[in-house]
Amino acid sequence: MRQNPDPQRRARPPAPKPGRLALRALAPGVYGAALLAGVFSTRQALHPLALATLAAFIGYFLWRIRSLVVRGRDGDLVRVELGLLAVLALATALEIIAPPQAWATAAYGVLLVGLAAAVPFPGILALPLAAAVPWTPWGEWAARTVQLEFLAAAAGLLAWLEHSRRRKLQLALSKIDLDTEHLDAQNRSGGDRRQSPLAQLDSVLYAYLAEVKADTGAHGAVLAVTVPNGGLYVRELVSDSHNIRGEGVLDLKGTAFQWIVENRKPLGIHSIRDSAGRLGYYAGGVAVRSFLGVPLLEGEEVKGVLAVDSLLENAFNESHQGMLRSAANQGATILSQIQQLERVRREARDFEHLYEFTKRLGTCDAVPDLIDLLLAAVAERLSPEFCAVALLDTENQLTLRAVGHRGRAELVGKTFSPHDGLAGWVLSSRQYLHYAEGRDRARRPLFSKDVKVDDFQSLLLHPLEAHGESLGVLCVASGLPRSFDPPAVKFCEVLAQQGAQGLLQLRTLEQLRALAATDGLTGLTNRRVFLETTAAEIARCHRYEQPLSLLLLDVDFFKKINDSYGHPAGDEVLRRVSATLAALARETDRVGRYGGEEFAVLLPSTDDAGAAALAERMRAGIAALEIRWEKHTLPVRVSVGRACLRSTDQGPDPLLSRADQALYAAKERGRNRVVAFDEIQAYLPAQP
């Protein structure tokens, strides 16, 4: 079941503390009084106290904006307050600038029109009173106020109509989503026109409500069922009126259904004046006068409400209540059967999601692809407001690798300690964590104190663990309470297990790839991968007409080192030489172990002069090494041959051959030196 049926509902922010509430009420009044007193008038020099007052007001204004934008403390009162502060800020600017009154009127008009989209309609009507006071002479105050009131009323009315239109569209979409969840009029195959069992039960439910309506002589009969976030959803409605509210979820506040749900008792109302407000499922214009509703109980828990209404006053008596109680038992049976079928269908859908996820898991060949697939599966099933994956890195830190579905992209790449937040607790304990109705803010943060996210009413964290190895944490959150029911929790658990298995396989595959491409002793690229890289760089340099150079290095008298000090000493020499080459190479250079005591360095976009300079630095750097081995200092020298790419070279073999001939010449000339192929080319026999 979709857990966010009404997109307009949000978790209410906590009530402000009395001290802050007093400050919020007092601060605008004190500053407005300072404006009326003329402390910012340009006719006299600004007093330091006036500047301090202005600075305090600016800081207070920014603090209130931060409460709305950053901390998400929204509400009609907050918006009216910020609108009032904006008016006072404009009044201060006009007091300092002292423009003509016509310009001031226009400035206030523009501000009021801009605020109309954010400030509720009653509040926008009150703002012109504050706008007209500071700058208008008393003789013109009434006329100016009427002008601004008319402008604010027009702008506020247009904004209210636009808000209403958008809300109706959102609620209509919500109704479609919920109806799709609860109704299945055709078989999923689409080829069989016979009704599915769920559709048959829906028909039975409609006929049952029509019979209840007829037996009680009612104008309408409604069956509303509870949803996980605490509301009621109109499951079925039979009425002689068509003026039905568009949304399927009832706002219980102030309705008769709220009393029935809270008290778990029947309720009869014999005279109703506001049927739309008291009942909630009519849009207005329906003169319902009587109402009778009984709860559908399962033990002590309310599963729904069965209710009837009438256009007549005192339409229902004790016999109708007894009749409705009996009908409620039958309705509870039908509803239980529907819910069981919906549960089976939901489990089948979850199985399909997991099967599709597992099938696509095999196509992922990189960790980022798998994480994207995991977040997509979570978003499709749960529609959360926030979901993220944090993985354990090599330094035993958790790193946010992905944040999806209305998340904050700037969090990607943030690292935090596993000992700070709830995510770290889940990782170390290897247990899932589920908050259904918010949590104490004084407790651990979600990630850490430095990696901040919003407070969510519903929070679900599952460890990513495979074969006893902890890999990371899956985090899912929503702003509504009780957004994740037990099937959703179980779905995430299985999804996290499958995702962790895939992550472990990809990590193992990456390690195998690294081993296959790396020399085990030195950690450098091995010969096979180096030759593949060289071939690719040659093709690229030919395409873009860029230079390319190659160095071949050989450790001088390496066999003597092995014979004199042993092969472990020779291995240590190779490790130190490879580390020196890697340290002296540039970021774009490629260093590899070519074979035995021979190394190769590929220099993209480097001509002969650049290659000569780098080769000499590498030779000198290795000659300066002091390698201690069993109280001996091992002398290490290298001979270097270098060659440059030619336009006629096809593949790496010609380039490697020239570098190898230059290396041989360096050894023949006494070793511990750099020789270029161009230096010896004249002494070589002509190639056939």
Side-chain angles (χ1 to χ4, degrees):
M1 180 180 294
R2 192 178 181 87
Q3 302 304 321
N4 189 9
D6 189 349
Q8 295 296 321
R9 295 187 62 189
R10 293 291 183 267
R12 292 185 176 90
K17 297 180 180 180
R20 290 189 176 182
L21 193 60
L23 175 63
R24 290 167 56 183
L26 186 62
V30 172
Y31 189 76
L35 276 176
L36 290 175
V39 296
F40 301 112
S41 174
T42 56
R43 293 186 294 269
Q44 54 186 357
L46 289 179
H47 193 273
L49 181 59
L51 294 176
T53 304
L54 179 59
F57 173 75
I58 293 174
Y60 177 80
F61 195 7
L62 295 176
W63 173 62
R64 296 307 303 149
I65 292 176
R66 178 179 179 274
S67 297
L68 175 65
V69 176
V70 178
R71 305 189 67 179
R73 295 184 174 178
D74 200 354
D76 291 347
L77 182 60
V78 174
R79 293 179 179 273
V80 173
E81 177 189 3
L82 288 175
L84 177 59
L85 294 176
V87 169
L88 293 177
L90 179 59
T92 304
L94 294 176
E95 182 73 12
I96 296 174
I97 299 173
Q101 289 190 5
W103 290 16
T105 304
Y108 279 111
V110 171
L111 178 63
L112 291 174
V113 171
L115 292 175
V119 178
F121 188 67
I124 200 67
L125 295 180
L127 292 182
L129 299 177
V133 168
W135 52 271
T136 306
W138 289 108
E140 303 176 9
W141 184 85
R144 300 287 185 183
T145 303
V146 170
Q147 291 176 357
L148 293 178
E149 283 286 2
F150 179 79
L151 182 62
L157 181 60
L158 290 176
W160 179 79
L161 291 174
E162 177 63 18
H163 282 311
S164 299
R165 185 185 69 84
R166 292 185 180 182
R167 177 174 172 79
K168 287 181 179 179
L169 290 175
Q170 290 174 331
L171 293 175
L173 179 60
S174 171
K175 170 71 173 172
I176 293 174
D177 289 342
L178 283 169
D179 285 345
T180 302
E181 292 287 343
H182 285 281
L183 300 177
D184 189 9
Q186 295 181 349
N187 285 332
R188 297 177 64 86
S189 62
D192 191 352
R193 293 177 177 268
R194 294 174 300 176
Q195 284 187 321
S196 66
L198 184 57
Q200 293 175 10
L201 281 176
D202 283 328
S203 300
V204 171
L205 182 60
Y206 183 87
Y208 152 78
L209 269 187
E211 184 178 354
V212 170
K213 174 179 175 295
D215 291 344
T216 57
H219 168 264
V222 60
L223 177 64
V225 298
T226 56
V227 291
N229 60 15
L232 282 178
Y233 171 65
V234 177
R235 185 63 179 81
E236 194 60 81
L237 173 64
V238 180
S239 177
D240 295 336
S241 298
H242 299 287
N243 196 11
I244 307 300
R245 190 178 294 274
E247 63 269 29
V249 176
L250 297 177
D251 186 358
L252 296 183
K253 185 177 181 180
T255 65
F257 292 95
Q258 182 183 17
W259 192 94
I260 297 173
V261 171
E262 291 179 351
N263 295 277
R264 300 190 294 276
K265 295 179 180 179
L267 174 65
I269 304 177
H270 302 295
S271 180
I272 301 176
R273 297 305 173 196
D274 180 18
S275 59
R278 293 300 303 276
L279 304 185
Y281 52 86
Y282 287 121
V286 182
V288 170
R289 292 292 178 261
S290 300
F291 170 85
L292 178 61
V294 297
L296 275 65
L297 297 174
E298 185 176 298
E300 294 296 322
E301 185 179 0
V302 177
K303 289 296 185 179
V305 174
L306 175 63
V308 292
D309 60 62
S310 175
L311 301 181
L312 303 176
E313 293 187 354
N314 300 308
F316 306 114
N317 52 34
E318 292 295 332
S319 63
H320 290 109
Q321 185 176 131
M323 187 185 305
L324 206 60
R325 282 179 179 271
S326 301
N329 295 330
Q330 183 182 1
T333 302
I334 299 174
L335 187 60
S336 176
Q337 294 175 353
I338 291 176
Q339 290 175 341
Q340 289 178 8
L341 282 175
E342 288 176 339
R343 189 179 304 112
V344 171
R345 181 179 148 211
R346 185 167 55 245
E347 291 175 354
R349 188 172 64 249
D350 287 349
F351 176 80
E352 290 179 2
H353 282 307
L354 292 172
Y355 172 74
E356 185 66 23
F357 175 78
T358 305
K359 185 170 66 174
R360 295 177 62 186
L361 197 62
T363 64
C364 295
D365 57 359
V367 172
D369 295 336
L370 188 148
I371 295 177
D372 290 342
L373 180 62
L374 180 64
L375 293 181
V378 172
E380 185 177 1
R381 170 61 176 86
L382 302 181
S383 297
E385 294 182 18
F386 177 86
C387 55
V389 172
L391 296 184
L392 196 65
D393 58 26
T394 55
E395 298 179 357
N396 200 32
Q397 294 285 307
L398 279 169
T399 303
L400 283 169
R401 297 292 297 271
V403 177
H405 198 63
R406 307 177 201 169
R408 293 168 53 185
E410 67 272 13
L411 293 176
V412 176
K414 298 286 187 180
T415 61
F416 55 95
S417 170
H419 307 294
D420 290 344
L422 295 175
W425 184 90
V426 169
L427 181 73
S428 59
S429 67
R430 299 182 177 180
Q431 300 179 17
Y432 83 91
L433 188 63
H434 181 207
Y435 286 103
E437 299 186 10
R439 59 192 180 90
D440 186 1
R441 296 187 179 185
R443 301 180 65 182
R444 285 185 175 183
L446 179 56
F447 299 127
S448 71
K449 294 180 180 179
D450 297 327
V451 184
K452 297 181 180 179
V453 295
D454 300 331
D455 289 317
F456 296 102
Q457 289 293 310
S458 298
L459 188 61
L460 181 60
L461 294 98
H462 275 284
L464 298 173
E465 179 187 7
H467 298 289
E469 182 177 353
S470 296
L471 304 175
V473 179
L474 170 65
C475 172
V476 188
S478 173
L480 293 175
R482 298 185 298 278
S483 291
F484 310 128
D485 56 5
V489 176
K490 187 63 178 178
F491 175 84
C492 276
E493 179 182 0
V494 177
L495 194 69
Q497 292 173 353
Q498 295 293 329
Q501 292 283 351
L503 283 172
L504 186 60
Q505 292 176 4
L506 285 178
R507 184 171 292 181
T508 304
L509 181 61
E510 289 178 353
Q511 292 173 352
L512 291 175
R513 288 173 178 170
L515 289 175
T518 306
D519 175 65
L521 177 64
T522 63
L524 298 178
T525 301
N526 60 26
R527 180 188 180 102
R528 177 184 62 82
V529 177
F530 183 83
L531 290 176
E532 293 174 355
T533 303
T534 302
E537 282 294 335
I538 288 175
R540 187 188 67 83
C541 290
H542 279 324
R543 185 182 307 115
Y544 297 106
E545 297 182 354
Q546 292 182 349
L548 177 68
S549 298
L550 176 68
L551 306 180
L552 284 182
L553 304 91
D554 188 88
V555 180
D556 297 333
F557 303 112
F558 183 72
K559 185 177 183 302
K560 184 177 180 181
I561 295 176
N562 279 337
D563 294 342
S564 301
Y565 304 103
H567 287 279
D571 291 344
E572 178 64 17
V573 168
L574 294 179
R575 280 192 290 265
R576 294 289 299 275
V577 169
S578 63
T580 303
L581 293 177
L584 293 174
R586 300 164 303 182
E587 185 176 356
T588 57
D589 298 336
R590 301 291 181 265
V591 183
R593 185 180 180 187
Y594 197 63
E597 68 274 18
E598 197 169 5
F599 299 87
V601 183
L602 189 64
L603 309 175
S605 303
T606 304
D607 58 13
D608 186 64
L614 183 59
E616 181 57 33
R617 284 203 303 272
M618 289 181 170
R619 185 205 63 77
I622 293 173
L625 287 176
E626 293 185 1
I627 302 177
R628 299 288 299 174
W629 185 263
E630 296 180 353
K631 300 181 181 180
H632 299 284
T633 300
L634 304 183
V636 181
R637 305 289 184 269
V638 291
S639 300
V640 184
R642 76 174 192 269
C644 295
L645 181 67
R646 294 177 176 177
S647 59
T648 57
D649 290 344
Q650 298 297 324
D653 290 343
L655 178 62
L656 286 166
S657 176
R658 292 195 298 274
D660 187 62
Q661 293 180 64
L663 174 61
Y664 181 80
K667 287 185 172 292
E668 287 292 320
R669 294 183 179 185
R671 293 183 172 84
N672 190 25
R673 67 188 63 239
V674 179
V675 174
F677 178 79
D678 292 343
E679 299 175 13
I680 65 172
Q681 185 176 7
Y683 304 101
L684 296 176
Q687 298 294 328

